[in-house]
Amino acid sequence: MHLSYLTILTALFFHLEANKTAVGRLPKWLVPLSYRVDIVTRINQPYQPFGGTVVIDLRSERSTKKIVLNSHDLAIGKRRAVTLSAKNGNSVPVSSIEMDIKLSRLTVSLKRPLKVNVTYSMRVAFTSVLRSDHTGFYSSNYVDHNTTLTQWLAATQFEPNHAREAFPCFDDPIFRTPFKINLAHPYLYRALSNMPVQRTIRHASLKDYVWTQFVESHPMQTYLVAFVISKFDRPGFTSSERSDCPIRTWARPDALSQTEFANMVVAPLLSFYEDLFNSTYRQKKIDLVALPDFTFKSKENWGLPAFAEESLLYDSQRSSIDDQQGVARAVAMMVVNQWFGNLVSVAWWHEIWLKNVFALYLSRFGVHSLRPEWDYQERHALQLYLSVLDYDAHVNTDLVTASVPDESHIWAAYNEIGERKAAVLFEMLHRVMGEEAWLTALRRYLVVYANRTATSSDFWDLLQLQVDRNGRLGKGLNITGIMKCWLGQPGYPLVTVTRNYEDRTAIVSQQRFFITPQFRNRWARSPCWWVPLSYTCPSCQHSEIISFSRWLTCPISKPSSKSNTVILGKLEAEPEDWILFNVQHTAPFRVNYDLRNWQLLNKTLADPNKFRLIHRVNRAQLVDDLFSLAWSGDIEYDMALGILGYLEHEDEFVVWAATEINFERINNVAKRNSNYLIFKTFMRLLLERQFKRVLSSDLTSSSGNMTHRPVIIRLACEYELPACVSLARREFKKGTPEKGGWMTIQERETVVCTAVKFGTEGDRDTVESMYKRSNFAAEKESLLTALACSRNVFALQRVLIWTFESSGVRKQNARRTFKAVVSNSMGYRLAKKYVSVNMQNIRNYCSNSTDKVVNLMTPLIECLSTPKELLYFSKFFKEILRDMNGSERLIKILLERGNDNIHWQRTKFRPMLQAIRDIILWRSRTKRILK
């Protein structure tokens, strides 16, 4: 087994040696063949020390007197800590051991060189203490509500390069090596690892300690190695649907009952993806473990996938359907990663996005197979699409791909928005290629690169092979070229469609879209994208035309304005028909039309009997485009708000979800303006009819959390529609907000929030008591978010303290509560002051992660509305975050959002208010005429 594995690795190494991205990596001629790791963890002792030995069988492709591997924060003695011998028993004397702290490298110098193709065994002894930053081998704790005692656990988080913090190793993703793990720990604790337990025996010298020894693993990268030592004494649920692969879920004892749903969906998801990929899952067991304060939402370690608690725990009585979908999504992503990420892995960290995007995109199909009634596939796709268009409309935005010349730049490769954009592009490829070609390429990718590394170029080549066979793309179109233009430059296009109604043609052009137009003229380059064109119209056959024979193309050499324009002839749309491009978000771009086409779209949308002729997803796209084009100045607010008036009879969740996000952006800037009442009045008028309609239905029948009713109730109460405020206070007074009655989880939170906002001190005290009594994390977060609606400054101060200084809120969800405080008109200045005083504590709370700190602070910038505030945060962030990795880039991204708010308030707020006044005046005149 080792010989064949060595042959594969050797070929890969010489391939990579010619690649300049390998700068600063470990020598490629030293190949680890197997590991035996023995670690003793004294988790119940002060400082929580651990130590042990690692024995690495290795082979060299060159004659060398130095062995270089990775080690970080491990104490390794200078004498006799490292020994080396050939497999025939002859020892190789060690002359010196050097540790490069900056590069995390251990160099073992030898007195005589290693022989080529001879297997050696190297033993390294080491000691350390469990870390507290949730990387490497770290300790964490939780309060067991059954006993009220604090319990400690030890767990690992090795991605991307933290295995070296647990034991010396060749910590590079190119290496796939079998691991034999043996863990010594107090006998009252249980150890889990990637493989099944082989046996448990007493420790020879440590009283009350045992060794848990695990079966040797198949070859895998160091970042997939995992082990947990805890007092999780029994699994919550065990699934036996797969006789050859038992599936168990683990969590703290008082949360075991919440692991049932996650346990229940693993086997069906495995079967679904086995059929989809035409590939069998061959691992011997799966232990899903929920860890307090886990860094990732989920981690796909073979045999021992780890999850943040919010990603694995679900309670049917107290969790929302969003929570349930989140668990299904996290488990589905983990399952996808067993193939795309584990079976086929990345060669280096600059393409970590590739495995993550496979999981993000393909997970929606698995979730849909579990619960088709959720419409999850459609909603998840639209959610990603809209979030990408929002984020990528700025100057300071990220590329999907990042340069990682050495390990110090690994952090730059993790980019959630970039991964979302790539998932949207995967959908584009899927649709333009067709189902059969796409699926064939996926399956071929898994066959060709099984148990190997692969790059995005390898995947593009396989896609191209299928496209060439079915001829669907047409001549001159190349997958690599198409993806290069989307992945290699920031932003996305605004496609402008200008129709000639007499000869049924249209001129279609593109330019980069900026949400703030002041940057448009500053952009020196004229970027270009390969854009597939699809359109629909009332007269179009089958209601839509999705032909990808026409594309907006890019010049091969010199830029040309003509290359960004195409003339479409013989359109099926009649002169009196509207036409709509980018059918169900074929690709990530916005669309603007000539005035007459907007008027035709408005005519259909405004008719309660005809607006459904436009698909709900396209209506959501139109709503989002109208808001953004008005914000950027590409269209006027009087036209945008005039068309958006149709929302009075819109009844689809996906449309209202898009609407809510855009109104929130306006509200964030407008609410502290003296003319805010005008905007609030408009919102009440828009929501009044919808609110009456949703309440006129049978409230006792479940809305399934899937209709637009929770959104309407939330917006109506947020904008203080009197009928909604009365309803919320009345329902709260019944004393049943905990049980919900007719309410969904989201509606229950709206009721509690409104009661806190408009009720008495006694009402707020009641909610605070509910918060203190609850031992369920999701419920505590919901109640704390509702408490953030208070207009009492001292109560808001307590919310901030409970968020950041108590164990009641999971760190992953602290942003939600913090955002609720910031969004409160009484809470913005309070939150700003709290951050300025407690920033160092917040940094520690976020484990000094730049991304986490900036993500947490984003609501402060989203609600920023004055140049004075922008100047303050600019100086504050540059000062307090200057020593954090990547802070300069992220601060630029953050502050640009604040600058957008100020520019919009200065140039667009008054025109929007005037458009609102005109609409209100027109409505009042219409009512008088009708009377």
Side-chain angles (χ1 to χ4, degrees):
M1 179 181 70
H2 293 335
L3 284 174
S4 61
Y5 174 61
L6 178 63
T7 303
I8 294 172
L9 275 181
T10 303
L12 286 171
F13 289 160
F14 285 115
H15 170 73
L16 280 175
E17 192 167 7
N19 192 328
K20 293 183 180 180
T21 61
V23 173
R25 296 171 69 172
L26 292 176
K28 302 174 183 65
W29 53 85
L30 280 171
V31 183
L33 301 177
S34 70
Y35 288 84
R36 174 182 169 129
V37 181
D38 299 281
I39 297 178
V40 179
T41 306
R42 294 172 170 85
I43 191 172
N44 54 358
Q45 293 185 9
Y47 305 109
Q48 298 176 314
F50 72 90
T53 60
V54 58
V55 178
I56 309 174
D57 286 354
L58 55 88
R59 195 173 289 183
S60 178
E61 296 301 309
R62 295 184 185 179
S63 179
T64 179
K65 296 178 77 172
K66 289 187 177 181
I67 298 175
V68 182
L69 65 161
N70 297 112
S71 177
H72 183 68
D73 285 348
L74 300 176
I76 299 172
K78 292 295 183 181
R79 299 184 62 185
R80 298 184 180 179
V82 181
T83 60
L84 182 71
S85 61
K87 275 297 185 179
N88 60 16
N90 294 328
S91 64
V92 180
V94 175
S95 61
S96 66
I97 301 170
E98 296 179 10
M99 185 67 213
D100 187 324
I101 297 176
K102 183 178 180 181
L103 295 178
S104 300
R105 288 186 181 176
L106 174 68
T107 302
V108 180
S109 299
L110 309 174
K111 291 185 178 180
R112 63 171 184 262
L114 299 177
K115 295 180 180 180
V116 176
N117 289 333
V118 173
T119 300
Y120 293 86
S121 183
M122 181 174 66
R123 180 183 182 276
V124 184
F126 57 91
T127 59
S128 187
V129 295
L130 295 178
R131 302 176 68 86
S132 59
D133 60 359
H134 299 93
T135 65
F137 193 21
Y138 69 92
S139 67
S140 183
N141 64 78
Y142 60 92
V143 176
D144 186 343
H145 289 285
N146 295 331
T147 63
T148 69
L149 297 177
T150 297
Q151 301 290 354
W152 288 89
L153 62 83
T156 58
Q157 170 45 50
F158 289 164
E159 186 182 324
N161 60 343
H162 298 293
R164 64 192 66 178
E165 296 166 3
F167 54 90
C169 57
F170 294 84
D171 204 7
D172 189 299
I174 193 63
F175 297 111
R176 284 175 173 263
T177 316
F179 283 83
K180 180 76 169 67
I181 305 292
N182 302 314
L183 302 175
H185 52 86
Y187 78 96
L188 291 176
Y189 285 74
R190 177 185 291 271
L192 300 171
S193 189
N194 303 85
M195 301 301 289
V197 174
Q198 187 174 41
R199 65 174 182 167
T200 301
I201 60 174
R202 290 183 180 180
H203 195 286
S205 58
L206 289 178
K207 184 181 179 181
D208 296 331
Y209 273 67
V210 296
W211 281 103
T212 301
Q213 299 176 342
F214 298 91
V215 175
E216 185 179 49
S217 76
H218 50 275
M220 62 183 177
Q221 293 93 334
T222 50
Y223 74 84
L224 291 176
V225 176
F227 38 89
V228 175
I229 299 172
S230 71
K231 284 192 174 181
F232 297 173
D233 58 344
R234 61 184 178 86
F237 293 89
T238 301
S239 171
S240 301
E241 287 190 46
R242 300 175 70 92
S243 58
D244 58 340
C245 180
I247 300 166
R248 303 181 296 181
T249 44
W250 301 82
R252 49 189 166 84
D254 54 312
L256 286 177
S257 62
Q258 301 168 41
T259 64
E260 181 179 14
F261 177 72
N263 184 272
M264 181 178 68
V265 301
V266 177
L269 285 170
L270 282 171
S271 297
F272 173 81
Y273 286 113
E274 284 179 325
D275 291 340
L276 187 68
F277 303 149
N278 195 27
S279 175
T280 303
Y281 181 76
R282 300 186 184 280
Q283 301 310 306
K284 296 180 179 180
K285 61 94 177 175
I286 301 179
D287 285 312
L288 297 84
V289 58
L291 296 172
D293 296 328
F294 190 57
T295 304
F296 291 75
K297 289 183 178 179
S298 64
K299 187 68 186 66
E300 68 274 13
N301 315 308
W302 249 334
L304 186 63
F307 297 80
E309 287 191 339
E310 66 170 348
S311 298
L312 197 71
L313 304 184
Y314 168 75
D315 184 287
S316 59
Q317 297 300 313
R318 298 177 179 180
S319 300
S320 69
I321 201 162
D322 289 338
D323 296 328
Q324 188 178 21
Q325 290 177 353
V327 172
R329 176 175 62 250
V331 175
M333 290 179 68
M334 177 276 294
V335 172
V336 172
N337 274 144
Q338 304 306 299
W339 283 272
F340 295 91
N342 294 6
L343 182 66
V344 180
S345 56
V346 296
W348 185 238
W349 300 112
H350 69 293
E351 290 209 321
I352 192 67
W353 65 270
L354 187 61
K355 79 174 183 72
N356 293 339
V357 169
F358 274 122
L360 182 62
Y361 178 61
L362 296 174
S363 63
R364 72 177 60 156
F365 302 101
V367 175
H368 182 75
S369 73
L370 294 173
R371 297 286 191 277
E373 68 273 15
W374 283 349
D375 288 331
Y376 181 83
Q377 191 170 313
E378 175 184 279
R379 296 178 185 201
H380 183 250
L382 183 61
Q383 180 188 30
L384 291 186
Y385 167 81
L386 295 179
S387 67
V388 167
L389 293 194
D390 175 56
Y391 185 90
D392 221 20
H394 299 86
V395 173
N396 294 297
T397 186
D398 291 319
L399 298 177
V400 174
T401 57
S403 174
V404 186
D406 54 54
E407 290 186 338
S408 66
H409 293 80
I410 287 178
W411 58 266
Y414 286 86
N415 175 5
E416 184 178 355
I417 292 295
E419 291 169 6
R420 291 184 178 188
K421 183 174 183 179
V424 172
L425 295 173
F426 270 35
E427 182 179 21
M428 178 184 79
L429 290 177
H430 190 165
R431 296 181 67 181
V432 299
M433 290 179 62
E435 182 70 20
E436 183 180 354
W438 169 261
L439 195 54
T440 301
L442 280 184
R443 292 172 174 176
R444 186 64 181 161
Y445 180 78
L446 292 175
V447 171
V448 173
Y449 297 104
N451 297 307
R452 296 171 56 191
T453 59
T455 67
S456 56
S457 295
D458 296 326
F459 185 51
W460 308 150
D461 289 344
L462 289 174
L463 293 178
Q464 187 67 47
L465 181 63
Q466 298 306 315
V467 166
D468 290 343
R469 288 177 176 175
N470 71 8
R472 183 145 170 167
L473 273 188
K475 294 182 179 180
L477 291 173
N478 176 272
I479 294 290
T480 300
I482 292 170
M483 294 306 289
K484 183 178 179 181
C485 78
W486 285 101
L487 298 175
Q489 60 185 350
Y492 59 86
L494 168 64
V495 171
T496 301
V497 179
T498 305
R499 294 173 61 185
N500 184 318
Y501 293 85
E502 294 180 358
D503 61 9
R504 296 189 181 184
T505 62
I507 299 174
V508 184
S509 61
Q510 63 166 300
Q511 63 176 338
R512 183 176 174 183
F513 177 75
F514 290 105
I515 194 66
T516 301
Q518 61 180 323
F519 296 115
R520 197 169 294 163
N521 297 329
R522 299 182 192 177
W523 195 251
R525 292 173 57 248
S526 178
C528 177
W529 292 266
W530 290 75
V531 183
L533 297 177
S534 61
Y535 70 88
T536 182
C537 66
S539 300
C540 294
Q541 189 177 10
H542 307 303
S543 300
E544 63 182 41
I545 299 295
I546 306 182
S547 171
F548 303 105
S549 59
R550 299 305 303 266
W551 290 64
L552 276 174
T553 60
C554 299
I556 298 175
S557 54
K558 296 181 180 180
S560 168
S561 59
K562 293 183 180 179
S563 65
N564 287 344
T565 301
V566 66
I567 298 177
L568 298 181
K570 299 181 180 179
L571 297 176
E572 291 195 31
E574 300 288 344
E576 296 305 314
D577 284 343
W578 48 262
I579 195 168
L580 192 147
F581 274 71
N582 200 17
V583 178
Q584 296 180 43
H585 52 79
T586 303
F589 61 91
R590 296 198 184 280
V591 187
N592 194 6
Y593 301 96
D594 58 81
L595 178 60
R596 182 173 171 182
N597 197 71
W598 279 120
Q599 290 171 338
L600 291 170
L601 285 167
N602 181 40
K603 184 179 179 181
T604 297
L605 290 170
D607 189 332
N609 299 314
K610 293 183 178 180
F611 75 101
R612 291 186 183 85
L613 290 174
I614 301 174
H615 192 277
R616 58 178 175 266
V617 171
N618 291 128
R619 299 203 301 273
Q621 288 176 247
L622 281 171
V623 165
D624 193 65
D625 281 350
L626 284 165
F627 275 111
S628 294
L629 293 174
W631 184 290
S632 67
D634 288 284
I635 64 175
E636 298 299 325
Y637 266 106
D638 55 356
M639 183 173 79
L641 294 179
I643 297 175
L644 289 169
Y646 101 93
L647 289 168
E648 286 190 345
H649 51 258
E650 176 60 71
D651 56 2
E652 287 288 350
F653 171 83
V654 290
V655 181
W656 275 103
T659 302
E660 183 180 27
I661 293 170
N662 282 282
F663 274 135
E664 179 184 358
R665 181 167 61 182
I666 294 174
N667 191 56
N668 285 339
V669 185
K671 62 190 168 190
R672 287 187 286 145
N673 189 284
S674 58
N675 290 313
Y676 177 60
L677 183 59
I678 298 173
F679 175 69
K680 184 190 283 188
T681 301
F682 170 75
M683 290 301 298
R684 289 175 179 174
L685 290 172
L686 185 66
L687 293 163
E688 187 174 19
R689 185 181 298 177
Q690 281 282 0
F691 184 76
K692 289 180 180 178
R693 183 179 293 113
V694 298
L695 290 190
S696 65
S697 60
D698 183 6
L699 291 178
T700 59
S701 64
S702 172
S703 71
N705 287 27
M706 301 301 289
T707 72
H708 69 310
R709 192 181 78 184
V711 180
I712 296 300
I713 293 177
R714 182 165 56 248
L715 286 172
C717 283
E718 179 183 354
Y719 290 100
E720 301 174 7
L721 190 68
C724 188
V725 174
S726 298
L727 171 72
R729 295 196 65 188
R730 185 168 65 250
E731 291 296 325
F732 185 82
K733 289 297 182 183
K734 290 180 180 178
T736 59
E738 291 180 274
K739 299 189 182 300
W742 57 268
M743 292 180 285
T744 65
I745 302 293
Q746 295 98 325
E747 290 163 345
R748 188 187 314 166
E749 186 174 305
T750 298
V751 164
V752 178
C753 166
T754 307
V756 169
K757 184 176 182 179
F758 293 101
T760 64
E761 288 188 17
D763 294 334
R764 188 183 67 243
D765 292 342
T766 297
V767 179
E768 288 189 359
S769 297
M770 292 162 57
Y771 168 77
K772 293 175 181 177
R773 289 196 311 268
S774 175
N775 64 358
F776 183 69
E779 183 179 55
K780 289 181 78 74
E781 290 154 15
S782 177
L783 291 170
L784 196 57
T785 302
L787 285 168
C789 300
S790 175
R791 292 185 285 188
N792 183 293
V793 174
F794 298 105
L796 292 174
Q797 182 72 31
R798 286 197 296 274
V799 170
L800 290 171
I801 292 172
W802 286 336
T803 300
F804 295 111
E805 301 174 31
S806 74
S807 59
V809 176
R810 293 172 290 194
K811 290 184 180 181
Q812 296 92 340
N813 291 337
R815 184 183 187 274
R816 179 183 174 216
T817 306
F818 182 67
K819 180 180 179 180
V821 175
V822 172
S823 300
N824 187 327
S825 58
M826 299 291 293
Y828 185 81
R829 290 182 178 83
L830 186 68
K832 177 181 170 184
K833 180 180 179 181
Y834 182 88
V835 166
S836 64
V837 173
N838 296 282
M839 192 61 196
Q840 188 56 52
N841 293 334
I842 290 175
R843 283 184 52 165
N844 296 337
Y845 181 86
C846 295
S847 302
N848 273 310
S849 164
T850 313
D851 284 324
K852 290 180 181 178
V853 171
V854 171
N855 183 53
L856 190 62
M857 295 298 104
T858 299
L860 281 170
I861 302 301
E862 290 175 339
C863 294
L864 179 155
S865 60
T866 68
K868 184 178 180 181
E869 290 169 346
L870 180 64
L871 180 62
Y872 170 80
F873 282 117
S874 177
K875 292 180 178 179
F876 177 71
F877 287 143
K878 289 176 182 178
E879 175 65 25
I880 202 69
L881 304 179
R882 67 180 185 276
D883 61 330
M884 300 183 74
N885 282 336
S887 61
E888 183 177 353
R889 175 184 64 91
L890 290 173
I891 289 171
K892 282 183 179 179
I893 292 173
L894 199 60
L895 295 179
E896 185 186 340
R897 275 57 174 176
N899 189 69
D900 290 343
N901 287 357
I902 293 169
H903 182 270
W904 180 85
Q905 189 174 57
R906 187 173 64 248
T907 62
K908 298 298 176 185
F909 186 46
R910 288 184 181 277
M912 185 194 74
L913 292 180
Q914 185 57 52
I916 288 174
R917 290 189 185 99
D918 293 342
I919 290 172
I920 293 174
L921 181 61
W922 176 82
R923 286 172 64 108
S924 62
R925 287 176 177 173
T926 302
K927 283 185 178 180
R928 285 200 300 269
I929 293 173
L930 293 175
K931 287 181 179 179

